[in-house]
Amino acid sequence: MSDQERRSALELTRRELLKLAGGAAAVAPLAGAAAAVPASSSAASAVPAAAPLFFTAAEFRLLDELTELIIPTDEHSPGARAAEVPKFIDGRLAEYDPAIPDLKQARDQWKDGLAAIDALSQEMHGAGILDVPEEKRNAVLERLSKTEKPETPAEKFFAELKSWTARGYYTSKIGIHQEMEYKGNTLQTEYAGIDAGSV
């Protein structure tokens, strides 16, 4: 191979150079994201990789545990923690504009509600809910859900927490596809309803 042939083989056209630069730019964020994922990730990790947007780290850990107690992991499907329900709730509340009185009140109620549940655990067990074994945590939730008509601030908050937990879970990929086993728009080979003529 002559020097001229070697040089032309090494030279790139402007179009080829732009393709390479565009490809490198597209791959760079993916490489950074892959490097940011830890080699071993625990499903029981209580604090997300990124800091919570609205709650403090301690409040987020409490929220994480409460949502997991409401919808725990079982043999059928992962629970609220795996479905990132606490992250969903945190993100929604972070979007609430505190300059709007009703939204500020809703944000305050979440912080006050978490504190009320922790205070109830203190009253019942002499320690915060994260500092007692799971059976005592469940006892706190059972006490909160005893009545059909919530009266105390903690009971009212717990009803709200259950509602948001269910909403976050059943709109997540895990809730839809693993828990409810939604298959999407698939062809039904037979009619599974009631024959109107037989009624």
Side-chain angles (χ1 to χ4, degrees):
M1 184 186 280
S2 71
D3 286 339
Q4 179 65 24
E5 290 173 328
R6 251 187 255 129
R7 236 180 282 131
S8 65
L10 293 175
E11 289 178 5
L12 295 173
T13 65
R14 182 175 174 200
R15 182 178 302 270
E16 291 169 330
L17 186 60
L18 288 172
K19 281 182 186 176
L20 286 173
V27 172
L30 298 175
V37 175
S40 66
S41 172
S42 169
S45 169
V47 179
L53 301 172
F54 170 67
F55 293 108
T56 65
E59 289 168 337
F60 190 87
R61 281 192 297 277
L62 178 56
L63 176 66
D64 179 70
E65 184 59 28
L66 291 172
T67 58
E68 185 66 16
L69 288 169
I70 293 168
I71 302 180
T73 297
D74 60 19
E75 63 281 344
H76 178 67
S77 60
R81 181 177 290 134
E84 298 185 336
V85 170
K87 187 176 175 183
F88 163 77
I89 294 170
D90 181 60
R92 290 301 312 259
L93 290 169
E95 293 172 348
Y96 281 16
D97 185 351
I100 300 171
D102 288 345
L103 297 182
K104 181 183 181 333
Q105 181 182 3
R107 288 166 55 113
D108 292 344
Q109 286 173 343
W110 274 87
K111 289 188 175 266
D112 294 344
L114 289 173
I117 290 177
D118 212 37
L120 179 60
S121 177
Q122 284 279 353
E123 176 189 312
M124 291 175 65
H125 307 297
I129 201 161
L130 294 176
D131 299 323
V132 297
E134 187 172 339
E135 63 273 3
K136 290 186 177 183
R137 293 175 186 181
N138 285 327
V140 172
L141 300 189
E142 286 171 15
R143 182 165 165 188
L144 288 168
S145 59
K146 267 202 303 198
T147 179
E148 295 229 0
K149 283 187 157 187
E151 295 175 8
T152 69
E155 289 170 348
K156 289 177 183 177
F157 171 72
F158 185 61
E160 183 81 357
L161 174 63
K162 289 189 300 184
S163 173
W164 279 54
T165 299
R167 184 179 310 127
Y169 185 77
Y170 289 105
T171 57
S172 73
K173 185 174 183 177
I174 287 173
I176 292 171
H177 296 289
Q178 289 182 266
E179 173 64 23
M180 296 191 307
E181 298 179 8
Y182 177 69
K183 304 290 187 230
N185 295 331
T186 56
L187 176 64
Q188 293 184 6
T189 57
E190 63 183 61
Y191 180 68
I194 297 172
D195 181 13
S198 67
V199 179

